[in-house]
Amino acid sequence: MNKKEAISELINTIYNNNSDLILSESDIKRLNNFFKEVDQFSKQFDAFLEENSEKTKGISKLKSGKYEMEKQYNQNRALQPGILSECNYVETLAKIFNLNKCLDFDRTPMNQVPIECRNYLNSGYQTFSAARYLYYSTKNPDIFIFQYGNPANGDAEIIINGNKVRLEFKERNAKAGEYDITGLYDDEGKLLISDDFRKNTPEYIPFIEKFNNETNVIEQIGHNYNDFDDETKVLSVMEYFARHDIDAIVSSTSNNELVVLTPECVKIELPDGRRIITTENSEIRTSGRNHRKIFTKNLFMNVLDQMNAVEIDKDKYEVSLDNELVEIVNGRGTSTPSRIKFNKVFFVDINDAIIENDKVVFNINDVEQLKPSISMHIKINATKDELKDYFEKKD
């Protein structure tokens, strides 16, 4: 069996068997929402689960999902975004292939990992630490799954008769990569293209050029720009999968069924004209997820003027919290305040600021500026039956 045949084996197995998700999308959403609100981590994890048995209902059905929640709970940390969905997908996949054992690599010495699996852990111990879980069965040593926690390794690999098939897990409506615009932008809000951006992500240059011809960051602050043609978005998403060496995308349908797609599905239309995968909501974000020290000083000084900021010492300012350009925001995945934002794109860590009497005092040297980014999205737009029909006709 070669790799192409292994991918076909993966596809055929999923589309010719029951692939109901272990937990529904609503169950995963409920668990995520509950854990976001947890602010007391003093109890033992088992006691925490028992005390919140109704709210955590279903987590024990996901071996790796429960492990992930326990690890984050014990570290007083939020869940990694999307990790419960990944655990749900990989364990549903493991169930389809009758892989009934799950090893947690954080708790398992190397000599306890089955030898037939150990030999496929990329390149020894350094990479071994990037793998989170192994799913296998002693009855069928020719098929097993590694779930990774390192972007360099993809989300997971299923090994079928010696062939590695690299998997990317995507929720039904998910992000297919987000790229910082590393050239950033000038004080007029025009995006700049750096040499590394031009070299590493040239497929996104037309996005930036169209943005600069029609608008600028200052006009778009608080909004995202998504006026791009479909063909450009499709090509860029295909390039994303090619760059990450993705062999198959694992996702789900609105009926909570696991499905598998190949990267080419991004450009394939169904008989009624719908695309199998759509790229709607792909956009340029004026304030992405990453940040650095202020890079448009003049723009920030204008924001200070708009907030009626008062300089109370050298580089130290005071502004009222009762201002539409000032907002306190919570940390990702938590209900705990972490930042004070100024006009959406600037912020100061809440630990570097003093809040009292409805005012905030901060030093300009502690202010960070969010980088602009290009965020690509995909949405699975087909049913399991439609996908099964497509792959059968393709073969």
Side-chain angles (χ1 to χ4, degrees):
M1 176 180 284
N2 58 33
K3 186 171 182 176
K4 182 178 180 181
E5 291 170 334
I7 294 172
S8 293
E9 177 73 13
L10 170 66
I11 291 170
N12 291 335
T13 301
I14 288 178
Y15 288 112
N16 289 290
N17 285 279
N18 180 296
S19 65
D20 290 345
L21 295 175
I22 293 174
L23 294 182
S24 68
E25 288 182 4
S26 61
D27 287 331
I28 295 296
K29 184 176 181 181
R30 169 179 53 80
L31 288 166
N32 277 318
N33 288 341
F34 164 69
F35 204 78
K36 283 180 184 178
E37 302 301 320
V38 175
D39 55 11
Q40 294 294 324
F41 300 86
S42 56
K43 294 182 172 62
Q44 292 292 315
F45 183 68
D46 287 343
F48 163 77
L49 285 186
E50 185 176 350
E51 184 177 290
N52 297 281
S53 58
E54 192 60 33
K55 294 178 180 178
T56 59
K57 184 179 179 181
I59 191 63
S60 294
K61 294 181 180 179
L62 299 179
K63 300 182 187 73
S64 60
K66 184 179 177 182
Y67 286 149
E68 284 296 312
M69 185 176 284
E70 180 177 5
K71 291 172 188 178
Q72 298 305 95
Y73 180 87
N74 289 338
Q75 297 179 68
N76 295 11
R77 296 174 64 182
L79 286 167
Q80 176 187 333
I83 187 60
L84 290 187
S85 289
E86 290 186 17
C87 292
N88 195 28
Y89 288 164
V90 73
E91 292 203 33
T92 300
L93 185 60
K95 181 180 178 182
I96 293 169
F97 279 92
N98 298 312
L99 308 178
N100 60 340
K101 294 186 179 295
C102 175
L103 285 185
D104 178 356
F105 284 131
D106 285 342
R107 312 173 191 222
T108 306
M110 177 67 93
N111 61 12
Q112 291 184 20
V113 177
I115 185 67
E116 62 270 14
C117 304
R118 198 186 313 167
N119 293 337
Y120 287 89
L121 267 169
N122 292 336
S123 57
Y125 188 78
Q126 185 176 2
T127 305
F128 173 80
S129 64
R132 295 184 180 186
Y133 306 101
L134 165 67
Y135 306 83
Y136 70 103
S137 169
T138 55
K139 296 180 180 180
N140 187 1
D142 292 329
I143 298 178
F144 44 93
I145 304 171
F146 294 116
Q147 183 179 355
Y148 287 102
N150 185 326
N153 291 290
D155 292 332
E157 285 179 338
I158 183 168
I159 286 71
I160 301 176
N161 292 104
N163 296 280
K164 286 185 177 183
V165 179
R166 196 170 193 179
L167 307 177
E168 174 105 347
F169 297 131
K170 289 297 180 188
E171 294 176 319
R172 188 161 49 91
N173 193 356
K175 188 179 292 185
E178 181 167 351
Y179 304 91
D180 288 340
I181 300 175
T182 50
L184 307 178
Y185 52 87
D186 57 27
D187 282 309
E188 282 68 50
K190 293 298 182 181
L191 296 171
L192 306 174
I193 302 172
S194 64
D195 289 340
D196 70 309
F197 190 93
R198 193 178 298 276
K199 176 182 177 181
N200 297 322
T201 50
E203 68 272 17
Y204 297 123
I205 291 175
F207 288 63
I208 293 176
E209 292 175 339
K210 187 172 191 299
F211 177 91
N212 283 341
N213 286 335
E214 297 184 359
T215 186
N216 60 69
V217 171
I218 297 170
E219 289 180 354
Q220 297 295 327
I221 283 178
H223 305 280
N224 295 324
Y225 179 87
N226 57 17
D227 188 18
F228 302 113
D229 67 89
D230 195 52
E231 183 179 357
T232 302
K233 291 187 289 185
V234 166
L235 291 174
S236 65
V237 171
M238 290 185 67
E239 176 63 25
Y240 165 83
F241 289 128
R243 190 194 319 283
H244 292 84
D245 298 319
I246 302 303
D247 297 309
I249 304 120
V250 176
S251 188
S252 58
T253 68
S254 58
N255 291 327
N256 290 302
E257 297 168 298
L258 190 81
V259 291
V260 62
L261 310 94
T262 51
E264 68 180 17
C265 289
V266 177
K267 62 180 182 180
I268 301 300
E269 289 187 354
L270 295 165
D272 63 2
R274 286 178 295 129
R275 285 195 187 273
I276 287 178
I277 298 175
T278 69
T279 54
E280 59 191 53
N281 298 323
S282 295
E283 60 197 2
I284 285 181
R285 303 181 67 194
T286 54
S287 51
R289 58 187 176 184
N290 297 321
H291 54 87
R292 52 165 282 184
K293 291 296 182 183
I294 296 172
F295 53 86
T296 54
K297 186 69 174 288
N298 290 339
L299 178 59
F300 184 67
M301 299 309 293
N302 288 338
V303 171
L304 287 178
D305 288 341
Q306 294 171 38
M307 296 189 299
N308 297 315
V310 177
E311 186 173 15
I312 58 177
D313 203 348
K314 179 174 173 54
D315 293 334
K316 186 178 286 187
Y317 289 83
E318 178 185 81
V319 298
S320 171
L321 290 173
D322 185 23
N323 187 301
E324 63 180 9
L325 298 183
V326 182
E327 59 179 326
I328 298 176
V329 297
N330 294 335
R332 182 181 295 177
T334 75
S335 57
T336 305
S338 66
R339 297 175 175 180
I340 302 166
K341 270 191 175 182
F342 309 117
N343 199 27
K344 306 294 184 183
V345 297
F346 303 98
F347 73 89
V348 63
D349 189 286
I350 201 159
N351 295 316
D352 293 327
I354 299 172
I355 299 176
E356 56 184 18
N357 300 323
D358 292 325
K359 295 182 184 296
V360 57
V361 176
F362 61 94
N363 191 303
I364 192 174
N365 296 308
D366 293 325
V367 174
E368 298 280 309
Q369 185 169 355
L370 291 167
K371 298 178 181 181
S373 64
I374 293 179
S375 178
M376 301 306 299
H377 290 251
I378 61 173
K379 182 177 181 180
I380 310 304
N381 197 35
T383 66
K384 182 180 178 180
D385 286 341
E386 287 172 330
L387 289 168
K388 179 181 179 179
D389 185 60
Y390 164 71
F391 284 112
E392 286 178 346
K393 289 179 179 178
K394 178 176 179 290
D395 290 340

